[in-house]
Amino acid sequence: NLPISQWYYEATSEWTLDYPPFFAWFECALSHVAKYFDPKMLVIENLNYTSRATILFQRFSVIFTDILFIYAVRECCRCVNGKRAAKDALEKPTFILAVLLLWNFGLLIVDHIHFQYNGFLFGLMLLSVARLCQKRYLEGALLFAVLLHFKHIYIYVAPAYGIYLLRSYCFTTNNADGSLKWRSFSVLHVTLLGLIVCLVSALSLGPFIVLGQLHQVISRLFPFKRGLCHAYWAPNFWALYNAMDKALTIFGLKCNFLDPTKIPKASMTGGLVQEFQHTVLPCVTPLATLICTFISILPSVFCLWFKPQGPRGFLQCLVLCALSSFMFGWHVHEKAILLAILPLSLLSVQRVKDAGIYLLLTTIGHFSLFPLLFTPPGKVFLSVFSLYCFGRERPLLNWLETIYLIQLVPLEIFCEIIFPLTPWKRHFPFVPLLLTSVYCALGVTYAWLKLYVSVLTERISVRQKAE
């Protein structure tokens, strides 16, 4: 409907274009197919429009683009060590990995029910991971650079890619003890990587630089005015921080430590608002979240550099970067947990310790997505099915983790059945979301810490270092 010069200025709908240019071109291509289904869905002023043809197009387009995700899963399965003994084909690591990725509960929600194109984007990420594991470094770098210009949230895991490519590709060999052989640095390899990044960036941002709109594009991609938390709190550190502020506020009011007239209105109606003003605890700025995120990913990056383990070390760093950014990032969406869960699937089929962490994180992460669905039976069925492959041979969780996960059942019963029947629903509609976010945040924090402890305390053999 509009020329490219107006793409990042159009604001008729509250759902403005806030993705990088490659995704904008992807949407543009989709629109030329969509017009054959129902041209009314393409009218900008047609807000909240729906039709059977529109829904049909949305679902078919997601399914069609998932072909890339399926291919990426196939390539990832080829990278998994399949030498582990298995009684039957259903217990082989490659088969389990394929099921965990293709039938991922969270991805089914956000793509095929809630409707987005995350499968297509995660396909690009998994394919880039597979290429790096296959030592096809330039292909992996190219795919990741393209991915960043489709959706900038993947910048969270860029440190893992950057350090791994520098350590494994730009420095071509290690010493026998695993330390870096500085003389092996390749100027050619660095130049090739730089050319790939510059070429992809030029194709994506070049037209907007020529139009003098780069600042406008960046302002859309990083809308810091949206507030610390998304409308529905993601289960991360800031959910705990907000909950603590609310608890301290209530305690302060009851003990007459706080003046009710000076309490910001938004702070007492939280849960559904985007702007959150803290009352007792210090207010959090975008810079503060950036610093916290940077500090939280540093140990994983140092491990990748000083304790190289090849593809396994890269995957560990990638998961920790994704999870650290989820924990401390600005305006994090609840579905961003998939950025850590999907690559963790590749680690979970190779070691029991990682399988336990995966089981814990995927259960909590997927449970936190339940509010996106409105049909309780569907939630339970999909969640149980997605976890079926684990825990049949030996328990993967300790007693504390098991008790924690069991408590999700009464929490769901209260939020879905009991709470709607109480008078609280009318005055405190945000309570189920708040309880879900805070309880899941405890579990995600625990899984993050447990994974970090596992990575930092892991001993590397001399042979692994040399490799």
Side-chain angles (χ1 to χ4, degrees):
N1 292 278
L2 298 175
I4 185 175
S5 61
Q6 298 181 38
W7 282 6
Y8 284 92
Y9 284 94
E10 167 57 37
T12 301
S13 169
E14 62 178 309
W15 311 113
T16 56
L17 176 60
D18 55 2
Y19 277 23
F22 276 1
F23 197 87
W25 287 110
F26 172 68
E27 288 184 306
C28 182
L30 285 177
S31 70
H32 286 284
V33 181
K35 64 185 179 184
Y36 295 107
F37 283 76
D38 185 353
K40 292 182 180 179
M41 76 169 89
L42 303 177
V43 179
I44 296 177
E45 293 77 16
N46 225 350
L47 302 180
N48 300 319
Y49 176 77
T50 185
S51 70
R52 298 180 72 89
T54 299
I55 297 173
L56 191 67
F57 167 75
Q58 290 179 329
R59 292 180 176 172
F60 269 120
S61 60
V62 166
I63 293 171
F64 178 77
T65 55
D66 270 355
I67 293 174
L68 178 62
F69 181 75
I70 295 170
Y71 174 70
V73 171
R74 174 181 175 273
E75 291 300 299
C76 286
C77 289
R78 292 175 60 187
C79 299
V80 172
N81 183 5
K83 295 180 181 179
R84 194 183 78 183
K87 296 179 182 178
D88 55 65
L90 298 182
E91 294 181 3
K92 289 183 177 179
T94 51
F95 176 80
I96 296 175
L97 177 60
V99 172
L100 292 178
L101 291 174
L102 294 175
W103 290 92
N104 181 272
F105 170 69
L107 202 54
L108 286 172
I109 289 180
V110 299
D111 263 18
H112 297 277
I113 300 176
H114 195 246
F115 178 65
Q116 286 178 2
Y117 293 96
N118 288 285
F120 161 68
L121 298 171
F122 278 120
L124 276 174
M125 186 189 77
L126 291 178
L127 190 56
S128 71
V129 168
R131 292 295 180 251
L132 292 186
C133 293
Q134 296 163 0
K135 296 187 177 181
R136 296 159 67 173
Y137 298 111
L138 291 180
E139 286 184 52
L142 175 63
L143 288 167
F144 184 69
V146 170
L147 176 63
L148 279 179
H149 288 275
F150 266 100
K151 191 171 183 178
H152 53 299
I153 191 177
Y154 293 95
I155 199 172
Y156 289 156
V157 298
Y161 277 87
I163 296 298
Y164 183 66
L165 286 168
L166 181 62
R167 189 69 169 77
S168 302
Y169 181 66
C170 297
F171 288 93
T172 55
T173 56
N174 290 333
N175 293 314
D177 62 352
S179 61
L180 191 66
K181 184 177 288 187
W182 292 96
R183 292 183 180 181
S184 67
F185 180 75
S186 172
V187 177
L188 175 62
H189 288 183
V190 173
T191 303
L192 290 175
L193 288 176
L195 286 174
I196 286 174
V197 173
C198 291
L199 178 60
V200 173
S201 300
L203 288 174
S204 172
L205 300 174
F208 299 96
I209 294 176
V210 172
L211 292 169
Q213 297 181 1
L214 182 61
H215 180 270
Q216 175 65 18
V217 173
I218 293 175
S219 68
R220 282 287 183 89
L221 298 185
F222 301 97
F224 292 116
K225 293 181 180 180
R226 289 186 179 179
L228 173 64
C229 294
H230 187 237
Y232 157 40
W233 296 355
N236 59 8
F237 175 80
W238 303 122
L240 299 176
Y241 190 86
N242 292 344
M244 178 61 70
D245 184 77
K246 282 183 173 292
L248 291 175
T249 300
I250 294 173
F251 177 79
L253 289 173
K254 289 201 172 186
C255 295
N256 296 319
F257 294 147
L258 298 175
D259 185 356
T261 61
K262 295 182 179 180
I263 300 296
K265 185 179 180 181
S267 68
M268 296 306 295
T269 59
L272 296 178
V273 294
Q274 291 186 346
E275 291 290 346
F276 187 89
Q277 295 175 281
H278 296 97
T279 305
V280 179
L281 299 177
C283 288
V284 181
T285 64
L287 179 60
T289 63
L290 180 63
I291 294 173
C292 290
T293 302
F294 178 76
I295 293 174
S296 65
I297 70 172
L298 272 183
S300 65
V301 172
F302 281 131
C303 280
L304 183 59
W305 182 265
F306 293 106
K307 293 171 58 178
Q309 300 182 64
R312 173 177 173 73
F314 164 65
L315 279 171
Q316 288 177 332
C317 183
L318 187 148
V319 172
L320 284 171
C321 284
L323 204 49
S324 298
S325 302
F326 180 83
M327 285 291 296
F328 299 103
W330 178 267
H331 198 75
V332 175
H333 286 229
E334 66 284 347
K335 55 183 176 288
I337 192 66
L338 296 176
L339 190 56
I341 289 177
L342 290 175
L344 185 57
S345 305
L346 278 73
L347 294 172
S348 69
V349 298
Q350 300 185 65
R351 282 204 328 178
V352 173
K353 184 186 294 187
D354 293 327
I357 297 174
Y358 172 83
L359 179 60
L360 185 65
L361 184 63
T362 194
T363 305
I364 301 165
H366 291 162
F367 183 88
S368 71
L369 298 176
F370 274 14
L372 296 178
L373 284 180
F374 301 102
T375 52
K379 301 177 187 181
V380 176
F381 172 76
L382 288 172
S383 186
V384 171
F385 179 80
S386 66
L387 297 173
Y388 172 71
C389 292
F390 275 109
R392 293 196 292 172
E393 295 182 2
R394 55 180 294 184
L396 299 177
L397 306 175
N398 59 41
W399 64 271
L400 180 63
E401 295 163 352
T402 303
I403 292 175
Y404 172 83
L405 292 184
I406 291 175
Q407 297 305 312
L408 293 173
V409 177
L411 175 61
E412 180 67 7
I413 292 174
F414 173 79
C415 293
E416 290 288 344
I417 300 175
I418 299 177
F419 184 80
L421 301 177
T422 66
W424 297 339
K425 181 181 180 180
R426 187 174 183 181
H427 301 288
F428 307 103
F430 60 87
V431 166
L433 291 178
L434 185 146
L435 291 176
T436 300
S437 296
V438 171
Y439 190 75
C440 289
L442 294 172
V444 172
T445 303
Y446 173 84
W448 174 68
L449 292 173
K450 187 175 183 180
L451 182 59
Y452 242 133
V453 170
S454 173
V455 171
L456 293 174
T457 59
E458 186 174 2
R459 293 185 177 181
I460 311 301
S461 66
V462 175
R463 181 181 176 183
Q464 284 179 303
K465 289 182 178 179
E467 291 177 350

